[in-house]
Amino acid sequence: MKISKICCIGAGYVGGPTMAVIAQKCPQIQVTVVDLNEARIAAWNDNDLTKLPVYEPGLADVVAEARGRNLFFSTEVDKAIDEAEMIFISVNTPTKTYGIGKGMAADLKYIELCARQIARVAKDSKIVVEKSTLPVRTASAIKSILDHTGNGVQFQILSNPEFLAEGTAIEDLFTPDRVLIGGETATSEGQKAVNALVDVYANWVPKDKILTTNVWSSELSKLTANAFLAQRVSSINSISELCERTGANVNEVAKAIGLDSRIGAKFLKASVGFGGSCFQKDILNLVYIAKSYGLDEVADYWEQVIIMNDHQKRRFADNIIKTLYNTVSGKKITFLGWAFKKDTNDTRESAAIYVADYLLNEQANIAVFDPKVQEQQILTDLDYLNTRSSEENKNNVDITNDPYQACKDSHAIAVLTEWDEFKTYDWQKIYDRMLKPAFIFDGRNILNKEELEKIGFIYKAIGS
Ligand code: NAD
Ligand code: UGA
């Protein structure tokens, strides 16, 4: 079975870039990305490619090539479902904020709404692909909804989790380490569906990198991959604290252990804590699933990754307060970076939000500069915590688009995101504008200690 029309529900950080790449690599397939959010769709359709809702290096070029040819962004969800042979579900699956599993389980209400909508609209057989990250065994719930509420047509459910990382999404999609497809291969219809999706990816991904498994392995592999990656960050962050006490240097330790090919060099960069929309959510989900099967030791083991991450963010803020003579009340502290990592405008679960919150509780004044994050997003992130009124956040947080202005009359700089441009700043000019002693707390270990100390800064990096 050859696929000629794909629909993707959800035009977010995953749906947008993933479908743009499928469309670019498969000009023979019509790809329509739909979303309920009209503003988001309008931004995807904007002629000015700097206004795309997702900032990702290389994305604008891919969209420019495919959009209007075989890539379409639309709010007409029913029409796109009706026309497509294959429907990707790429909607958000946040941590539940209410009821059973509050604060841990994944909220599947958007997934269920999509399943019900597909069931209502579909008049012929469809392959439904789980692209969102989902708890293991979700496919059976989707199948049940589709089979019981549909129009008697056939549905095949595949799991095809996405492994792209933000900031490198296009590269990751062009040359993935692997593509994972979970399907029901015991039946010929199931096998045909798996083959159809394999054929889509085979347009640009070598066949030996396309892995097929059963549906449950595929769903669980996604949560496991994120848990392992986050665990490495928490592991090295735990060692960073020990380094600070003992005179060891975490960069040197990371290099020394990373050269062991069994350990490997990646994901060993100590930081102020991992952020992003998925690591915490997916580990909490894993913990919840383990608990729901009565596997308390398994649950506790993985929960420790989150506990260590929260500790790291708190510890970073505490260190600023302690170093600034135990008070930051009324002092200006400049944040360089607000995004959860470089090369993205995404701020979800960014460590910066929590560090700012702790410091605002201590009555600090925060100035923020981030090259890609909009002012309103920063205020929304703080308001969302519900720690203080919007008015107070506005009064105590000054957001500017000039880094030199952000550092003026500041007592300390905190580097929260590893943006490359921070390394190129005129640090002497920044030093001259700051109050003395001028401190830098490098939460990303990206600046040059010797150079900054020579200028006169008191420089403190995570893990040394
Ligand atoms: P997102 O919030 O950026 O996008 C989701 C979109 O779905 C939103 O625009 C929302 O309006 C839309 N939506 C929700 N319900 C809808 C409905 N019923 N009909 C139409 N549109 C609807 O989320 P995201 O970051 O793209 O993540 C999506 C999924 O992919 C999540 O499960 C996430 O865990 C997973 N994932 C994310 C990443 C990442 O880097 N962000 C990577 C891998 C996997
Ligand atoms: C992560 C995974 O890397 C992707 O494979 C996965 O698809 C995605 O989650 C998802 O499911 O959403 P992402 O969160 O976009 O991708 O970015 P990462 O590069 O993994 O970084 C996550 C956080 O860990 C960032 O805050 C980053 O700064 C931090 N990090 C990462 C470190 O502190 N140290 C490191 O060595 C690596």
Side-chain angles (χ1 to χ4, degrees):
M1 173 186 187
K2 282 266 169 280
I3 299 298
S4 63
K5 283 190 179 145
I6 285 176
C7 156
C8 173
I9 309 179
Y13 281 86
V14 168
T18 309
M19 292 303 131
V21 168
I22 290 184
Q24 192 215 29
K25 299 290 185 185
C26 314
Q28 73 283 12
I29 301 178
Q30 180 183 309
V31 180
T32 307
V33 192
V34 291
D35 204 296
L36 298 173
N37 183 333
E38 289 181 13
R40 216 167 206 188
I41 291 298
W44 279 113
N45 282 323
D46 205 308
N47 284 334
D48 178 354
L49 290 167
T50 63
K51 299 232 170 79
L52 295 182
V54 171
Y55 171 71
E56 273 296 336
L59 174 65
D61 292 341
V62 176
V63 172
E65 184 182 333
R67 197 177 60 186
R69 178 188 73 185
N70 64 326
L71 173 66
F72 304 93
F73 294 94
S74 161
T75 50
E76 291 182 276
V77 184
D78 282 3
K79 180 166 179 278
I81 292 173
D82 180 34
E83 289 176 354
E85 297 124 10
M86 181 176 270
I87 301 157
F88 286 77
I89 303 182
S90 188
V91 300
N92 36 329
T93 49
T95 305
K96 262 186 102 177
T97 54
Y98 56 88
I100 298 170
K102 177 178 172 178
M104 295 216 108
D107 192 342
L108 298 180
K109 70 176 168 207
Y110 306 108
I111 297 287
E112 176 160 345
L113 282 172
C114 288
R116 288 185 184 276
Q117 191 160 8
I118 294 168
R120 178 173 53 76
V121 172
K123 295 194 268 322
D124 51 14
S125 299
K126 306 280 183 203
I127 299 171
V128 176
V129 185
E130 299 174 346
K131 184 51 105 179
S132 297
T133 302
L134 296 170
V136 54
R137 299 205 72 84
T138 305
S140 67
I142 296 181
K143 176 110 182 95
S144 170
I145 292 168
L146 289 172
D147 287 347
H148 287 97
T149 62
N151 306 313
V153 299
Q154 286 288 315
F155 292 104
Q156 291 300 323
I157 321 291
L158 301 178
S159 160
N160 173 222
E162 184 50 59
F163 294 102
L164 69 81
E166 290 178 27
T168 53
I170 298 303
E171 218 177 295
D172 295 341
L173 290 164
F174 280 177
T175 51
D177 284 348
R178 78 321 208 167
V179 165
L180 180 58
I181 298 172
E184 165 68 76
T185 47
T187 62
S188 76
E189 286 308 307
Q191 186 63 58
K192 272 191 212 152
V194 170
N195 293 346
L197 186 53
V198 168
D199 287 347
V200 171
Y201 282 107
N203 281 289
W204 78 99
V205 179
K207 274 266 173 70
D208 61 352
K209 295 211 163 172
I210 305 176
L211 193 68
T212 55
T213 64
N214 81 31
V215 182
W216 320 128
S217 303
S218 172
E219 289 176 334
L220 187 56
S221 296
K222 174 62 196 174
L223 293 183
T224 308
N226 274 358
F228 270 58
L229 290 168
Q231 181 198 42
R232 282 174 69 95
V233 179
S234 275
S235 296
I236 199 70
N237 281 344
S238 75
I239 299 300
S240 73
E241 189 169 15
L242 201 52
C243 286
E244 289 167 26
R245 296 291 172 88
T246 56
N249 179 314
V250 78
N251 294 328
E252 293 179 351
V253 174
K255 185 162 186 201
I257 65 165
L259 284 171
D260 184 327
S261 61
R262 294 169 302 173
I263 296 174
K266 293 182 182 165
F267 268 74
L268 285 179
K269 184 101 179 113
S271 68
V272 52
F274 60 75
S277 61
C278 294
F279 276 179
Q280 172 163 308
K281 147 176 103 65
D282 292 349
I283 293 176
L284 288 172
N285 188 1
L286 192 66
V287 169
Y288 182 74
I289 293 167
K291 275 201 174 129
S292 68
Y293 285 104
L295 308 178
D296 290 343
E297 290 79 4
V298 177
D300 291 349
Y301 179 77
W302 288 107
E303 193 165 16
Q304 196 60 35
V305 174
I306 303 288
I307 293 171
M308 182 52 63
N309 197 49
D310 288 340
H311 172 64
Q312 190 76 348
K313 293 181 270 189
R314 173 101 241 176
R315 198 169 82 69
F316 184 75
D318 284 349
N319 190 26
I320 295 178
I321 298 161
K322 209 168 76 206
T323 311
L324 295 185
Y325 316 107
N326 289 313
T327 177
V328 289
S329 179
K331 292 182 181 168
K332 177 174 174 181
I333 300 174
T334 303
F335 279 31
L336 290 183
W338 190 265
F340 81 98
K341 62 184 284 197
K342 72 172 179 180
D343 293 338
T344 178
N345 60 344
D346 194 348
T347 64
R348 291 177 288 180
E349 290 300 326
S350 178
I353 302 169
Y354 298 94
V355 175
D357 190 47
Y358 298 140
L359 296 175
L360 287 167
N361 282 345
E362 294 293 326
Q363 303 184 340
N365 296 317
I366 310 271
V368 185
F369 168 76
D370 187 289
K372 287 288 172 201
V373 179
Q374 307 285 325
E375 171 170 0
Q376 191 47 52
Q377 185 60 51
I378 294 172
L379 292 172
T380 305
D381 290 339
L382 287 168
D383 290 351
Y384 190 73
L385 295 176
N386 242 332
T387 318
R388 62 194 75 70
S389 69
S390 301
E391 210 47 39
E392 281 176 279
N393 284 331
K394 234 190 198 140
N395 289 338
N396 295 309
V397 182
D398 178 30
I399 301 150
T400 146
N401 54 14
D402 175 2
Y404 296 94
Q405 182 61 30
C407 297
K408 191 165 179 295
D409 297 329
S410 177
H411 288 260
I413 291 170
V415 179
L416 274 307
T417 314
E418 71 280 26
W419 285 103
D420 289 332
E421 69 170 61
F422 297 163
K423 296 185 223 166
T424 66
Y425 286 176
D426 181 344
W427 285 99
Q428 180 68 55
K429 183 167 156 190
I430 290 177
Y431 180 79
D432 293 343
R433 293 174 166 218
M434 287 177 68
L435 299 178
K436 308 298 176 320
F439 294 90
I440 298 184
F441 297 89
D442 189 347
R444 293 294 184 163
N445 254 313
I446 54 164
L447 299 178
N448 185 317
K449 178 180 161 74
E450 285 73 35
E451 185 196 320
L452 294 170
E453 286 182 344
K454 213 159 105 199
I455 292 172
F457 282 106
I458 300 175
Y459 175 80
K460 291 194 166 207
I462 284 278
S464 60

